[in-house]
Amino acid sequence: MNTDTICAISTAPGVGGIAVARVSGPRAIEIADRLWHSRRRLHEMPSHTCALGTVLDTRGEALDSAVATVFRAPASFTGDDVVELGVHGSAWVQRELIMALIGAGARLAEPGEFSRRAFAAGKMDLAQTEAVADLIASTSRAAHRMALSGMRGDFSKRIEDMRRQLVELAALLELELDFSEEDVEFASRERLTALAAEVRDSTARLADGFAAGQAIRTGVPVAIVGATNAGKSSILNALAGDDRAIVSDIHGTTRDVVEDTITVGDYTLRLSDTAGFRDTADAIEAMGIERSRRALGRAAIILLVVDTTAPDADVPWQDVVSTINEAPDTTLIVAANKCDLTGSACVQLPPEASRAIVIPTSAATGAGIDSLRDALANACRSLTAHTGDTLVANARHHQALRDASAAAARTVDALNAGIPGDLVAQDLRACIDALASITGAISTPEILATIFSRFCIGK
């Protein structure tokens, strides 16, 4: 039970139109009332109501006009009494308000402490709480949609359904151990095998969607590659709508990876303009080309820029094809650039790249750039199409799902081999524990401290 009262600024750091200070704990209303000057006292207000008044500083002088919103326990985010004080966004006002709240008896909240209290109060499970942080950090519609689904409990429900069924059968299996001399069977081996196999496959599918989930959460990595002077930097600038990269007729201008982030449709893309591939004696340029190869290996989408005015240019097909062979889910889009000069978008594709999407473009005139954006958006959609409606973007969840899938696989193998029930129960319990760690049904103080330390102070 929370016995102290905490406070923090919950809006983003810096100067803005408004800032909100959140106070939570058993004395939240009492402490906020000490700073509140209005005909309507906070302790008289019902839950979920607002009032206009003035907040006072540590000297009891007027600090700012404010709007106070009262949330009474247990109907609040944290489950405690909560007061939110909205003031003007002056950094000085925010600092003075927090100092006044501390002087009145609150203490400054630790990182993630409001969310941790919500978890402790049963307002949301651990996976939902982590989704709150993802929602705040979302930078695209797709990332927002994924985080909102997690916050609403869609992912948690799938995990809890699997865990609950396993717990029921595990209880029956362990009950058999108490009657080992009676040679009775409470848990149907056929049902247990089928359920363990289903959990094995479901958790494996969810874990396989981690790369796609991470791409949506942090931005889909796109490597812009090609020969020198093919127009890669010009394509990057056209997509970004800004002169982000230096453009020159001189070969080898780009010697390092230049990155930019854009939004296309529902998705955030992390574009990497790479050094042009060619044989070179320049040590610095060679280092840039090696970084280009590494960017190629990390990409979910490869945007290969081909100069249609130089069909004999050294297009890096070998590196591109090698990457596609190692990562078959990688999408290859070919920008047939400078088509305004040739009137043709003909590109000779090797057999291994026959599925590539070819888009005629001209970075100079802007022709085809909208089509290129559409192709990138479609590639992002196909990236997640095979993963179903639930994506995993949290590394902790990913590892727990892999552990659960491995334990479920061992359970299936043990059951098929007729292994004694006590040994089967060990693997089954390991699977249950891995699933429980995702939602926090089983958690340790160390795990909780690590998770919530990554939250901002006001959350």
Side-chain angles (χ1 to χ4, degrees), residues 162 166 192-208 401-413 416 431 435:
M162 287 188 283
L166 289 174
L192 184 54
T193 302
L195 178 58
E198 181 182 344
V199 170
R200 176 199 61 198
D201 296 341
S202 295
T203 50
R205 280 195 301 271
L206 287 168
D208 288 344
L401 288 166
R402 291 182 59 186
D403 292 344
S405 184
R410 293 195 303 270
T411 301
V412 172
D413 292 342
N416 288 334
C431 182
L435 294 174

Side-chain angles (χ1 to χ4, degrees), residues 305-358:
V305 182
V306 177
D307 184 354
T308 58
T309 67
D312 297 328
D314 189 16
V315 179
W317 284 117
Q318 182 176 348
D319 291 278
V320 170
V321 168
S322 175
T323 301
I324 293 174
N325 288 338
E326 292 178 7
D329 291 336
T330 303
T331 300
L332 174 60
I333 300 175
V334 177
N337 197 32
K338 305 182 185 181
C339 63
D340 58 313
L341 300 179
T342 62
S344 171
C346 181
V347 175
Q348 189 67 38
L349 301 176
E352 299 89 345
S354 59
R355 293 187 295 107
I357 303 162
V358 180

Side-chain angles (χ1 to χ4, degrees), residues 40-369:
R40 193 177 186 193
R41 305 303 300 173
L42 300 182
H43 68 270
E44 299 171 348
M45 293 169 53
S47 185
H48 294 72
T49 57
C50 303
L52 179 65
T54 301
V55 287
L56 309 178
D57 61 16
T58 53
R59 297 179 297 276
E61 298 175 359
L63 176 64
D64 195 6
S65 297
V67 174
T69 308
V70 173
F71 304 91
R72 294 186 178 273
S76 72
F77 175 70
T78 62
D80 296 325
D81 285 341
V82 172
V83 177
E84 292 184 350
L85 298 170
V87 295
H88 292 97
S90 157
W92 184 81
V93 168
Q94 295 178 53
R95 185 170 59 251
E96 288 294 306
L97 177 55
I98 291 299
M99 292 303 297
L101 288 167
I102 292 173
R107 69 165 172 82
L108 187 64
E110 298 174 358
E113 190 167 4
F114 291 100
S115 296
R116 184 165 184 170
R117 289 191 176 197
F119 167 69
K123 292 293 180 177
M124 54 182 70
D125 62 37
L126 198 53
Q128 289 176 288
T129 306
E130 290 170 292
V132 172
D134 290 340
L135 184 64
I136 294 171
S138 61
T139 58
S140 68
R141 186 187 300 274
H144 167 267
R145 187 165 53 235
M146 182 173 65
L148 192 62
S149 173
M151 193 177 72
R152 288 174 173 170
D154 296 342
F155 175 59
S156 297
K157 185 178 184 301
R158 289 189 63 175
I159 297 300
E160 185 57 26
D161 284 347
M162 287 188 283
R163 189 187 76 87
R164 179 180 47 79
Q165 294 182 69
L166 289 174
V167 166
E168 291 176 359
L169 288 176
L172 294 175
L173 187 62
E174 293 182 6
L175 183 62
E176 291 178 6
L177 303 180
D178 295 333
F179 294 88
S180 56
E181 297 180 358
E182 305 293 333
D183 194 25
V184 294
E185 184 178 284
F186 295 110
S188 166
R189 295 303 188 268
E190 183 178 347
R191 182 187 170 198
L192 184 54
T193 302
L195 178 58
E198 181 182 344
V199 170
R200 176 199 61 198
D201 296 341
S202 295
T203 50
R205 280 195 301 271
L206 287 168
D208 288 344
F210 175 65
Q214 274 284 83
I216 289 178
R217 181 188 186 189
T218 62
V220 179
V222 180
I224 306 176
V225 299
T228 58
N229 215 27
K232 300 183 300 300
S233 297
S234 297
I235 289 290
L236 170 68
N237 291 342
L239 288 170
D242 189 18
D243 291 337
R244 183 69 179 83
I246 296 174
V247 176
S248 171
D249 292 335
I250 302 172
H251 288 268
T253 303
T254 302
R255 294 184 170 214
D256 202 350
V257 177
V258 178
E259 297 187 345
D260 202 358
T261 300
I262 65 171
T263 300
V264 174
D266 293 347
Y267 302 90
T268 295
L269 275 61
R270 291 187 288 112
L271 305 178
S272 298
D273 176 24
T274 66
F277 286 77
R278 67 169 180 167
D279 293 330
T280 179
D282 188 313
I284 301 299
E285 186 180 355
M287 291 174 62
I289 293 172
E290 184 55 37
R291 292 188 180 187
S292 299
R293 290 192 171 94
R294 291 201 294 269
L296 197 61
R298 294 191 300 267
I301 301 173
I302 298 172
L303 177 53
L304 175 63
V305 182
V306 177
D307 184 354
T308 58
T309 67
D312 297 328
D314 189 16
V315 179
W317 284 117
Q318 182 176 348
D319 291 278
V320 170
V321 168
S322 175
T323 301
I324 293 174
N325 288 338
E326 292 178 7
D329 291 336
T330 303
T331 300
L332 174 60
I333 300 175
V334 177
N337 197 32
K338 305 182 185 181
C339 63
D340 58 313
L341 300 179
T342 62
S344 171
C346 181
V347 175
Q348 189 67 38
L349 301 176
E352 299 89 345
S354 59
R355 293 187 295 107
I357 303 162
V358 180
I359 308 292
T361 61
S362 169
T365 66
I369 297 301

